Amino acid sequence: MLSRLFAPKVKVSAHCDLPCGVYDPAQARIEAESVKAVQEKYQANEDPDFRTRAILIKEQRAELAKHHVSVLWSDYFKPPHFEKYPELHQLVNDTLKALSAAKGSHDPATGQKALDLIARIAEIFWETKKA
């Protein structure tokens, strides 16, 4: 009797954790843009206090970007996506590594590399949304 009482009344399915609409690579892009902007500001300022604060902000933003990319990889992309885009696993790995490199660097080129990789993830993401 209890099993019938607590049994689900409606069954739903989705290819991701929630029905689509909650995932967007723009979140990762915005954080990565912040990383690059902080790197540029760091380069343009010699004040040690400013630079210390810039490093903290850059590292936080890089971690958030990594989080958003990881969520796309683990929660949004599913086996059919990986079959259609076999480079996706490597692309996500390369993106996470690029964000780690940007986190540890003051060179805006590292931030730009991460942005370029996130842009490719976004292309694939939006192609999968059309399907």
Side-chain angles (χ1 to χ4, degrees):
M1 177 158 171
L2 284 177
S3 63
R4 282 187 284 142
L5 179 64
F6 292 109
K9 304 294 184 232
V10 177
K11 292 186 181 201
V12 298
S13 66
H15 80 273
C16 48
D17 288 350
L18 291 172
C20 287
V22 299
Y23 301 103
D24 194 327
Q27 295 167 305
R29 179 188 48 78
I30 289 166
E31 298 301 349
E33 285 175 351
S34 294
V35 169
K36 183 181 175 197
V38 169
Q39 290 170 323
E40 291 168 345
K41 289 184 180 294
Y42 180 96
Q43 294 295 332
N45 194 312
E46 296 294 324
D47 177 55
D49 292 331
F50 178 89
R51 285 183 151 202
T52 298
R53 182 75 179 124
I55 291 168
L56 292 171
I57 292 168
K58 174 181 57 88
E59 290 182 357
Q60 290 169 344
R61 299 295 116 188
E63 278 301 314
L64 285 170
K66 288 172 63 174
H67 167 77
H68 291 304
V69 170
S70 295
V71 167
L72 287 173
W73 181 78
S74 64
D75 295 354
Y76 175 77
F77 291 119
K78 298 297 180 210
H81 301 136
F82 295 114
E83 290 169 15
K84 185 170 182 181
Y85 304 96
E87 76 277 18
L88 191 53
H89 283 298
Q90 188 64 50
L91 176 61
V92 169
N93 188 36
D94 291 347
T95 304
L96 294 172
K97 299 285 188 200
L99 285 163
S100 290
K103 179 180 173 182
S105 173
H106 307 308
D107 182 1
T110 62
Q112 185 59 54
K113 181 178 179 184
L115 280 167
D116 294 343
L117 292 166
I118 290 168
R120 179 61 187 134
I121 290 173
E123 287 175 24
I124 292 172
F125 174 86
W126 290 113
E127 287 173 15
T128 66
K129 294 287 278 188
K130 291 177 191 174

